[in-house]
């Protein structure tokens, strides 16, 4: 498996309204299994109400990030999206767009070049608990 793109899926249950889960170990394992020594891992959240970013994954920031984001993009607002589909998750779509659906992490000697206190997280902004699908492409 030295050459060619490897694409693998991570499936994880994540709470709504900005719940987040640490997927660093799963991404590292996909890179390790690819057999590649250096390159980049593209980590992409499927779905328009999920996001991918990095953060220090500790209980305080786990609450702080969604709390601060919700001050800027409140869930209670007269979103046109709610009129379009009868949905209640206009904020979730906007937050997912702002935070972004993917990140690119380089790796060297088979190891992700992340800081010690920098974890890869998937965030579910939807208004209910969701099983989120994250795709990792190792290039
Ligand atoms: Zn929607």
């Amino acid at each position: 498996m030295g050459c060619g793109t490897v694409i693998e899926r991570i499936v994880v249950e994540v709470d709504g309204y900005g719940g987040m889960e640490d997927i660093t170990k799963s991404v590292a394992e996909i890179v390790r299994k690819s057999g590649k020594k250096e390159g980049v891992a593209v980590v992409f959240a499927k779905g328009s109400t999920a996001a991918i970013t990095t953060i220090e994954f500790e209980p305080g920031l786990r609450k702080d990030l969604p709390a601060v984001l919700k001050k800027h993009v409140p869930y209670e607002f007269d979103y046109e999206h709610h009129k379009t589909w009868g949905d209640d998750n206009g904020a979730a779509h906007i937050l997912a767009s702002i935070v972004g659906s993917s990140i690119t992490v380089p790796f060297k000697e088979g190891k992700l070049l992340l800081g010690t206190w920098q974890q890869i997280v998937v965030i579910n902004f939807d208004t209910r608990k969701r099983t989120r699908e994250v795709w990792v492409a190792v290039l």
Side-chain angles (χ1 to χ4, degrees), residues 35-52:
K36 296 178 196 298
K37 291 300 162 214
E38 52 192 53
V40 292
V42 178
V43 184
F44 175 80
K46 185 173 171 178
S48 60
T49 56
I52 298 283

PDB file of all heavy atoms in Angstrom, residues 35-52:
ATOM      1  N   GLY A  35       0.484   2.767   5.316  1.00  0.00           N
ATOM      2  CA  GLY A  35       1.867   2.417   5.022  1.00  0.00           C
ATOM      3  C   GLY A  35       2.687   3.560   4.460  1.00  0.00           C
ATOM      4  O   GLY A  35       3.879   3.420   4.229  1.00  0.00           O
ATOM      5  N   LYS A  36       2.054   4.704   4.262  1.00  0.00           N
ATOM      6  CA  LYS A  36       2.774   5.861   3.719  1.00  0.00           C
ATOM      7  C   LYS A  36       3.597   6.511   4.825  1.00  0.00           C
ATOM      8  O   LYS A  36       3.179   6.556   5.975  1.00  0.00           O
ATOM      9  CB  LYS A  36       1.793   6.878   3.135  1.00  0.00           C
ATOM     10  CG  LYS A  36       1.003   6.369   1.939  1.00  0.00           C
ATOM     11  CD  LYS A  36       0.034   7.443   1.471  1.00  0.00           C
ATOM     12  CE  LYS A  36      -1.042   6.895   0.544  1.00  0.00           C
ATOM     13  NZ  LYS A  36      -0.509   6.330  -0.693  1.00  0.00           N
ATOM     14  N   LYS A  37       4.755   7.035   4.451  1.00  0.00           N
ATOM     15  CA  LYS A  37       5.643   7.643   5.444  1.00  0.00           C
ATOM     16  C   LYS A  37       5.447   9.154   5.520  1.00  0.00           C
ATOM     17  O   LYS A  37       5.545   9.750   6.586  1.00  0.00           O
ATOM     18  CB  LYS A  37       7.106   7.311   5.120  1.00  0.00           C
ATOM     19  CG  LYS A  37       7.433   5.843   5.318  1.00  0.00           C
ATOM     20  CD  LYS A  37       7.178   5.405   6.776  1.00  0.00           C
ATOM     21  CE  LYS A  37       7.064   3.890   6.864  1.00  0.00           C
ATOM     22  NZ  LYS A  37       6.114   3.456   7.897  1.00  0.00           N
ATOM     23  N   GLU A  38       5.225   9.788   4.390  1.00  0.00           N
ATOM     24  CA  GLU A  38       4.949  11.223   4.435  1.00  0.00           C
ATOM     25  C   GLU A  38       3.907  11.604   3.398  1.00  0.00           C
ATOM     26  O   GLU A  38       3.737  10.949   2.378  1.00  0.00           O
ATOM     27  CB  GLU A  38       6.208  12.063   4.270  1.00  0.00           C
ATOM     28  CG  GLU A  38       7.064  11.739   3.074  1.00  0.00           C
ATOM     29  CD  GLU A  38       8.413  12.427   3.194  1.00  0.00           C
ATOM     30  OE1 GLU A  38       9.081  12.268   4.232  1.00  0.00           O
ATOM     31  OE2 GLU A  38       8.784  13.122   2.246  1.00  0.00           O
ATOM     32  N   GLY A  39       3.178  12.683   3.741  1.00  0.00           N
ATOM     33  CA  GLY A  39       2.103  13.125   2.866  1.00  0.00           C
ATOM     34  C   GLY A  39       1.128  13.973   3.660  1.00  0.00           C
ATOM     35  O   GLY A  39       1.511  14.599   4.660  1.00  0.00           O
ATOM     36  N   VAL A  40      -0.128  13.977   3.213  1.00  0.00           N
ATOM     37  CA  VAL A  40      -1.153  14.713   3.939  1.00  0.00           C
ATOM     38  C   VAL A  40      -2.387  13.832   4.124  1.00  0.00           C
ATOM     39  O   VAL A  40      -2.694  12.994   3.279  1.00  0.00           O
ATOM     40  CB  VAL A  40      -1.586  16.029   3.220  1.00  0.00           C
ATOM     41  CG1 VAL A  40      -0.462  17.046   3.232  1.00  0.00           C
ATOM     42  CG2 VAL A  40      -2.092  15.764   1.820  1.00  0.00           C
ATOM     43  N   ALA A  41      -3.065  14.049   5.251  1.00  0.00           N
ATOM     44  CA  ALA A  41      -4.360  13.418   5.491  1.00  0.00           C
ATOM     45  C   ALA A  41      -5.416  14.509   5.359  1.00  0.00           C
ATOM     46  O   ALA A  41      -5.338  15.538   6.041  1.00  0.00           O
ATOM     47  CB  ALA A  41      -4.404  12.794   6.876  1.00  0.00           C
ATOM     48  N   VAL A  42      -6.355  14.292   4.463  1.00  0.00           N
ATOM     49  CA  VAL A  42      -7.496  15.199   4.330  1.00  0.00           C
ATOM     50  C   VAL A  42      -8.635  14.586   5.133  1.00  0.00           C
ATOM     51  O   VAL A  42      -9.005  13.433   4.904  1.00  0.00           O
ATOM     52  CB  VAL A  42      -7.910  15.378   2.850  1.00  0.00           C
ATOM     53  CG1 VAL A  42      -9.119  16.288   2.743  1.00  0.00           C
ATOM     54  CG2 VAL A  42      -6.746  15.917   2.026  1.00  0.00           C
ATOM     55  N   VAL A  43      -9.156  15.356   6.083  1.00  0.00           N
ATOM     56  CA  VAL A  43     -10.198  14.860   6.986  1.00  0.00           C
ATOM     57  C   VAL A  43     -11.461  15.658   6.694  1.00  0.00           C
ATOM     58  O   VAL A  43     -11.487  16.891   6.879  1.00  0.00           O
ATOM     59  CB  VAL A  43      -9.773  15.025   8.464  1.00  0.00           C
ATOM     60  CG1 VAL A  43     -10.807  14.416   9.401  1.00  0.00           C
ATOM     61  CG2 VAL A  43      -8.390  14.416   8.699  1.00  0.00           C
ATOM     62  N   PHE A  44     -12.503  14.970   6.241  1.00  0.00           N
ATOM     63  CA  PHE A  44     -13.703  15.641   5.725  1.00  0.00           C
ATOM     64  C   PHE A  44     -14.963  15.106   6.394  1.00  0.00           C
ATOM     65  O   PHE A  44     -15.190  13.886   6.426  1.00  0.00           O
ATOM     66  CB  PHE A  44     -13.782  15.417   4.203  1.00  0.00           C
ATOM     67  CG  PHE A  44     -15.031  15.944   3.568  1.00  0.00           C
ATOM     68  CD1 PHE A  44     -15.175  17.287   3.277  1.00  0.00           C
ATOM     69  CD2 PHE A  44     -16.089  15.084   3.251  1.00  0.00           C
ATOM     70  CE1 PHE A  44     -16.336  17.775   2.682  1.00  0.00           C
ATOM     71  CE2 PHE A  44     -17.255  15.566   2.664  1.00  0.00           C
ATOM     72  CZ  PHE A  44     -17.371  16.917   2.380  1.00  0.00           C
ATOM     73  N   ALA A  45     -15.778  16.011   6.921  1.00  0.00           N
ATOM     74  CA  ALA A  45     -17.051  15.614   7.531  1.00  0.00           C
ATOM     75  C   ALA A  45     -18.143  15.647   6.466  1.00  0.00           C
ATOM     76  O   ALA A  45     -18.363  16.672   5.824  1.00  0.00           O
ATOM     77  CB  ALA A  45     -17.413  16.561   8.668  1.00  0.00           C
ATOM     78  N   LYS A  46     -18.817  14.514   6.288  1.00  0.00           N
ATOM     79  CA  LYS A  46     -19.915  14.442   5.329  1.00  0.00           C
ATOM     80  C   LYS A  46     -21.182  15.017   5.982  1.00  0.00           C
ATOM     81  O   LYS A  46     -21.487  14.682   7.124  1.00  0.00           O
ATOM     82  CB  LYS A  46     -20.124  12.978   4.940  1.00  0.00           C
ATOM     83  CG  LYS A  46     -21.161  12.769   3.868  1.00  0.00           C
ATOM     84  CD  LYS A  46     -21.168  11.316   3.434  1.00  0.00           C
ATOM     85  CE  LYS A  46     -22.341  11.039   2.522  1.00  0.00           C
ATOM     86  NZ  LYS A  46     -22.341   9.645   2.046  1.00  0.00           N
ATOM     87  N   GLY A  47     -21.877  15.858   5.247  1.00  0.00           N
ATOM     88  CA  GLY A  47     -23.110  16.428   5.795  1.00  0.00           C
ATOM     89  C   GLY A  47     -22.965  17.911   6.051  1.00  0.00           C
ATOM     90  O   GLY A  47     -21.904  18.385   6.459  1.00  0.00           O
ATOM     91  N   SER A  48     -24.062  18.657   5.833  1.00  0.00           N
ATOM     92  CA  SER A  48     -23.995  20.121   5.857  1.00  0.00           C
ATOM     93  C   SER A  48     -24.211  20.734   7.233  1.00  0.00           C
ATOM     94  O   SER A  48     -24.334  21.944   7.371  1.00  0.00           O
ATOM     95  CB  SER A  48     -25.015  20.694   4.866  1.00  0.00           C
ATOM     96  OG  SER A  48     -26.310  20.272   5.228  1.00  0.00           O
ATOM     97  N   THR A  49     -24.250  19.908   8.283  1.00  0.00           N
ATOM     98  CA  THR A  49     -24.374  20.450   9.644  1.00  0.00           C
ATOM     99  C   THR A  49     -23.257  19.932  10.552  1.00  0.00           C
ATOM    100  O   THR A  49     -23.352  20.022  11.776  1.00  0.00           O
ATOM    101  CB  THR A  49     -25.750  20.104  10.265  1.00  0.00           C
ATOM    102  OG1 THR A  49     -25.933  18.684  10.246  1.00  0.00           O
ATOM    103  CG2 THR A  49     -26.886  20.772   9.514  1.00  0.00           C
ATOM    104  N   ALA A  50     -22.206  19.386   9.955  1.00  0.00           N
ATOM    105  CA  ALA A  50     -21.052  18.894  10.713  1.00  0.00           C
ATOM    106  C   ALA A  50     -19.818  19.672  10.299  1.00  0.00           C
ATOM    107  O   ALA A  50     -19.765  20.231   9.203  1.00  0.00           O
ATOM    108  CB  ALA A  50     -20.836  17.406  10.464  1.00  0.00           C
ATOM    109  N   ALA A  51     -18.830  19.731  11.176  1.00  0.00           N
ATOM    110  CA  ALA A  51     -17.597  20.456  10.878  1.00  0.00           C
ATOM    111  C   ALA A  51     -16.398  19.710  11.431  1.00  0.00           C
ATOM    112  O   ALA A  51     -16.529  18.856  12.318  1.00  0.00           O
ATOM    113  CB  ALA A  51     -17.659  21.862  11.466  1.00  0.00           C
ATOM    114  N   ILE A  52     -15.248  20.045  10.885  1.00  0.00           N
ATOM    115  CA  ILE A  52     -13.970  19.476  11.341  1.00  0.00           C
ATOM    116  C   ILE A  52     -13.040  20.628  11.692  1.00  0.00           C
ATOM    117  O   ILE A  52     -12.929  21.594  10.930  1.00  0.00           O
ATOM    118  CB  ILE A  52     -13.304  18.636  10.228  1.00  0.00           C
ATOM    119  CG1 ILE A  52     -14.167  17.445   9.816  1.00  0.00           C
ATOM    120  CG2 ILE A  52     -11.910  18.174  10.666  1.00  0.00           C
ATOM    121  CD1 ILE A  52     -14.149  16.269  10.759  1.00  0.00           C
TER     122      ILE A  52
END
